[in-house]
Amino acid sequence: MLLIHSMLAGAFFLVLLAPAWWLAGSVLPPAARPFFRLLCAVGFTLVGFVSFVNLLGRVIHQSIVSVVAYVAFCVIATVILRRRFPEGFRLTPLWSTWRSWIGPVFLAAAFGFPQWLLAVSTNYWDEVLPSGIYLTGINQFADGLFPPRHNAFPEITIKYHYAFHILAGTLKWLTGLSANFSIDIVSTALWLFVFLFVWFWLRELEFDALVATWGGFAVLLSGGFSYLYLGRLESYKTGGFTKVPATADLVHKYDPAKGWLANIVDAAQVPSTHLRNGDGSLSNLPWDIAGQFQQHAVSAGIAMTVFALFLLVTWQRRKEFNIPLAAATIAAFGVLFLGHAVFGGVGFITAALCLLGAWLRQRTWIRFLRGAVFGAAAGALALLHGGMLTRGLAYGTGSFSTIRKSFGYASGGIMGFVNWNLAGFGVTLLLALAAWALHLRRRDGANPERRALFVAASVFTLFSYFVPHTMFYSSETSGIEQFTEISKFFFCTHLGLALLSVFGVAYTLRRVHWGAVAAAFPLAAVMPLAFCYAGSFDAKHHWTGLYRSPYEYIGGKMNVEVQMGEALGRLKKSNRDVFYDASQDERIEGYLSGLLMYAGSVFTLTPSAFERNGVGFRLSEQVVAAKLAQSSRMGRLLPGAPEGAGCSWYYGRPVEDMALAPVIVRSRFDKLVGDGYFVKRHQVGARALFSIDKPTLDLDDDLELHWQPKIVAQTRCDRDADVPRRAQPPDPRGLRFDQASQGGARRDDPALRRAIPRGRARGLPRRPARRHVLPDGEEDRGRRGAQPLDVDLPRLARRRLAARVRALVLGLRLPDPRGPRPRRVRRARLLPRARRGVVAGPRQEDRRPRRGREGSAASVRGPLPPGLDRRSRRVVPQERDRVDPERDRHRQGRVPLGRAPRRHPRSRRLRRRRLRRDRGVAADQPDLVLAARPRRPDRAGGVRNADLDPRPVRLQPRREARPRLLGAPRREDLRLVLAGALGGPDRAGPAPRNPRVRQLVLTGTPSGAGRRGSGDGTGSCLTR
């Protein structure tokens, strides 16, 4: 299949090349080399295809239709032109002169091999940025969506130069290759085209073969002299994107223990290094030329710029207006902004200044018409293409330019400026200076095209060089240069110096031997080759192999991200489907989501870094804030959130993600899955992909039937219902208690008393606990002041938290938090005081205590559970009304405790029978604390933990009823409240017989328990 797709791609290219071959023959002189005509045809194809597809695609918002339309146009044009000009389509001259072009082709392959090796060995910066469109834009184009959109904003066209994405997306659509491989193939083809075009263009301008070879080599691999400053060279993990990085980001500094070559390779790990000046200041060096080619938009920008400069020089040479050549030049410079905005801007200014200078030298109507038509037509065409010139309210103010107070991108004074230039540009800078010095005396007046190229290259170089030295980009009106985005103008400087160095080499060869010029090749290639080697080989000097993506294979197995992405690509309904990733905290740092890589044209709901604060294609603050609000609502699973955000897929790990979510979110997720709102479409390992098939506006209706609290089993507890320090569960009010050695507020601190609402809170006695002796002889003083309070929540939040927990347990109706305090009512006991002791094991469930009544404490071994007093052998009342004086005296310890009232045997049997159906579970960070012990402990007095069932609790009600939340509730009402919160009979099914539940202490409250449809999440204490 790959071979078939490759043949199809080859035929596609030939169809596009056929009319361009005829056009190149009509523009070039008859004496032009046939292979150079082929290269010009490739340039015309590049300009025409990108221009046609972009202009038509922006109108119809379809990429594949635009491509097919251009293919049909080329077929029709080829048929018509072949009938009228058959001699213009002959290929005999090309095949007959193969000896003249086979050598340069091999040179191009040799000089381009390091760049290709780096491209296929690593993802580098562009391919997998977490918020870039370098892969997603290609996927969108291959799926028919155009222009490319932001990863989190399918309705907003991205503000970017995406000509490269048109080329790579077309290749992906034709061959079925991944976006990574499509990028590598297109980049390699553009590098070969640049070298060959420069070589044959210089040969057409009558330069020697050595000079032409240097020109092609300098464009690809000419670096600076930074290897001569190794002792002052520093590399930072920011990669050179930060103008003055922090000291903590340092990854390389000169190490005398290492060799010279090892230090060079270590310094070349980042595309832009920093030079430490003599005064201690730090200067950011220009990007290495190998690093800038790895930014794939730059490779397209350089290729299109070289071809546009050729058309400009050829157009200026003609004495007549030449409408076809003028149209081709205007089209090339108009689409150049879409190739790369910096190259487009510098190229447009260069062409305008060259045409203006030509008119000033000789003021004729032809030259004036050239300049006027070019400026108006190329400017209008660039605005129609959009790209970085796109305007709209959705893009905000963006970045703006600020004039520097002093000249110079570098720092360190005059010597720092000189060292910065030599370290950044090296041999090409010296040869360009030689060309400027010798051109006036040695220029050849007989070749006006060479003179026009020298002028255009000089203007191109000087303008791109002085812009970063005189201004910089300010981010968010800060007025401070934080990033090095303005240094991208030095990309153009590299290209301009490489073209000017050709004249320096030509003038130098007139006086020196060619061997001296040949020495410039290795001097210029040291840092680019070191950069390619550092990215392609590991620390042990082993090749890293062909790169695919960071998610491809882990441990020899296909990664889950790849499988889930391919599944979403098969299941998605359109090329604008939006998914919500619930486990983004688990994503690999610094990489794009696997679903965006492998699912084709899909979009995420959560904006990433550059979409929030990136320089260049930033968005409006209002647009980003609205998207973040939609993502937050989807994260809380609020009713109507998927519809409001246009989200149609939910992706995450149901078990792991829900374990960290609040109880209200877990309950909503349980209802979404159980009632068919979310339908599981694919699952691999712990991750699952759900499609959203139903509207969720009624999500919170009857949510109490899906309540999903977490519970923990307290197998050992002291008098205050606290578990041992090594297994402390969270406090029922959601507060955390640390050990006394850590300092903090004491339990009897008055500030702590004011933070707790009225009434007794479990675990916080109003007076110090009495001293008593445990059965095993260990003394316990009731933790009097032993646990300080770690007050993480504000006082008002703690009061509301405790009040809502007490309201659910006691059946109180809470008024508005800003209103008056609620009227106190008589409290209800959760369970009979006689049953607050123990539960039986599986084989002891029918046995009775050995002696005494059921509420007697004599039959209990081990640590005392809450509610039992060993001295009185009676149950201590745990819940009392404050207004009862008798109970106040009990609380203050002024009267002996009374006997617990006996219960009817039948009620005890029924209650025991209900409890046997329940099950206990042990989990961290519970929403329900389940205190469980065997009713009859073993003879050693310990607790048999093996008898505890780790399965979740399911309390089954006998009938469905709405909870009564006003007044003192009956036990039957309270049992229905808990049953409705934990699940109904239609969901849980028959529960097994398991009598291991002794006590339930609530720590969470449902937001909608009592108000039908109140699902905004404001009522959940855990959410707040």
Side-chain angles (χ1 to χ4, degrees), residues 583-866:
S583 57
Q584 285 190 348
D585 56 338
E586 183 246 353
R587 300 270 76 73
I588 301 178
E589 183 180 0
Y591 292 133
L592 192 68
S593 171
L595 268 64
L596 293 174
M597 283 188 183
Y598 295 98
S601 178
V602 294
F603 299 88
T604 180
L605 189 59
T606 306
S608 299
F610 284 171
E611 293 165 338
R612 296 195 299 265
N613 54 11
V615 177
F617 45 87
R618 68 174 66 249
L619 294 170
S620 173
E621 295 180 359
Q622 292 76 14
V623 174
V624 177
K627 183 62 68 172
L628 288 174
Q630 293 177 356
S631 177
S632 177
R633 289 176 56 85
M634 191 66 191
R636 290 177 289 162
L637 297 178
L638 295 181
E643 292 78 19
C647 183
S648 53
W649 298 92
Y650 185 90
Y651 173 64
R653 301 164 298 172
V655 179
E656 290 84 348
D657 296 336
M658 289 300 113
L660 302 176
V663 61
I664 184 67
V665 178
R666 293 199 305 271
S667 304
R668 286 170 176 162
F669 183 79
D670 184 74
K671 182 177 181 180
L672 287 169
V673 176
D675 292 356
Y677 295 88
F678 287 4
V679 179
K680 184 185 296 185
R681 300 298 183 183
H682 193 73
Q683 182 171 5
V684 179
R687 299 195 186 106
L689 181 66
F690 298 88
S691 63
I692 304 177
D693 294 352
K694 292 170 55 177
T696 61
L697 295 176
D698 58 343
L699 178 60
D700 279 355
D701 293 350
D702 299 328
L703 186 61
E704 61 273 9
L705 299 179
H706 297 266
W707 203 244
Q708 293 292 322
K710 289 184 293 184
I711 57 179
V712 65
Q714 291 187 4
T715 59
R716 297 179 61 185
C717 55
D718 57 12
R719 183 169 181 169
D720 295 329
D722 294 329
V723 297
R725 297 181 182 180
R726 61 178 179 273
Q728 278 191 359
D731 189 73
R733 300 171 321 285
L735 307 178
R736 294 187 292 109
F737 293 89
D738 298 332
Q739 303 300 328
S741 60
Q742 299 177 3
R746 297 172 61 89
R747 300 180 69 172
D748 53 352
D749 193 349
L752 178 59
R753 298 298 180 196
R754 290 192 298 269
I756 302 300
R758 292 183 183 181
R760 177 182 175 84
R762 181 175 299 277
L764 284 177
R766 289 195 174 277
R767 61 179 178 80
R770 296 180 180 179
R771 175 179 177 181
H772 60 277
V773 180
L774 298 179
D776 53 3
E778 181 183 353
E779 184 175 329
D780 187 3
R781 300 181 182 273
R783 303 175 187 266
R784 182 176 180 179
Q787 291 183 343
L789 175 63
D790 181 11
V791 283
D792 291 338
L793 302 176
R795 180 180 301 176
L796 180 60
R798 293 199 305 270
R799 291 173 64 108
R800 290 180 180 175
L801 183 62
R804 292 188 181 278
V805 172
R806 196 175 69 255
L808 180 64
V809 176
L810 304 180
L812 300 179
R813 181 185 296 274
L814 288 179
D816 188 83
R818 297 170 293 183
R821 298 177 65 88
R823 179 177 61 87
R824 295 194 59 79
V825 297
R826 182 180 178 86
R827 301 176 179 176
R829 298 178 179 87
L830 281 176
L831 296 175
R833 288 170 292 182
R835 289 295 300 160
R836 291 184 183 180
V838 296
V839 295
R843 298 183 180 180
Q844 299 173 346
E845 57 186 21
D846 296 330
R847 300 181 184 179
R848 296 183 178 180
R850 287 178 291 182
R851 64 179 183 274
R853 291 189 299 271
E854 189 173 359
S856 175
S859 61
V860 179
R861 297 181 182 180
L864 285 176

Side-chain angles (χ1 to χ4, degrees), residues 161 295 297-298 300-301 335-345 488 491:
H161 26 245
Q295 286 204 344
V298 176
V335 78
L336 189 55
F337 286 90
L338 200 64
H340 197 281
V342 175
F343 284 89
K488 289 186 177 180
F491 295 176

Side-chain angles (χ1 to χ4, degrees), residues 126 133-134 157-163 165 295-297 337-338 340 386-390 488 617:
D126 280 355
I133 66 159
Y134 310 104
T157 301
I158 194 168
K159 189 177 180 180
Y160 191 67
H161 26 245
Y162 47 79
H165 297 79
Q295 286 204 344
H296 310 297
F337 286 90
L338 200 64
H340 197 281
M388 291 294 290
L389 302 180
T390 304
K488 289 186 177 180
F617 45 87

Side-chain angles (χ1 to χ4, degrees), residues 27 86 127 168 243 253 278 306 309 323 528 715 751 818 874 885 911 919 977 1024:
V27 170
E127 294 182 14
K243 185 66 182 298
K253 196 173 182 178
V306 170
L309 290 177
I323 295 179
T715 59
R818 297 170 293 183
R874 295 292 181 268
R911 195 171 297 107
R919 295 174 293 178
V977 170
R1024 285 295 183 187

Side-chain angles (χ1 to χ4, degrees), residues 975-986:
R975 188 185 67 79
L976 290 175
V977 170
L978 295 177
L982 293 174
D986 56 336

Side-chain angles (χ1 to χ4, degrees), residues 134 222 299 352 467 591 819 916:
Y134 310 104
S222 62
S299 62
V467 166
Y591 292 133
R916 287 173 182 170

Side-chain angles (χ1 to χ4, degrees), residues 79 349 496 832 974 1009:
V79 172
I349 296 296
L974 186 59

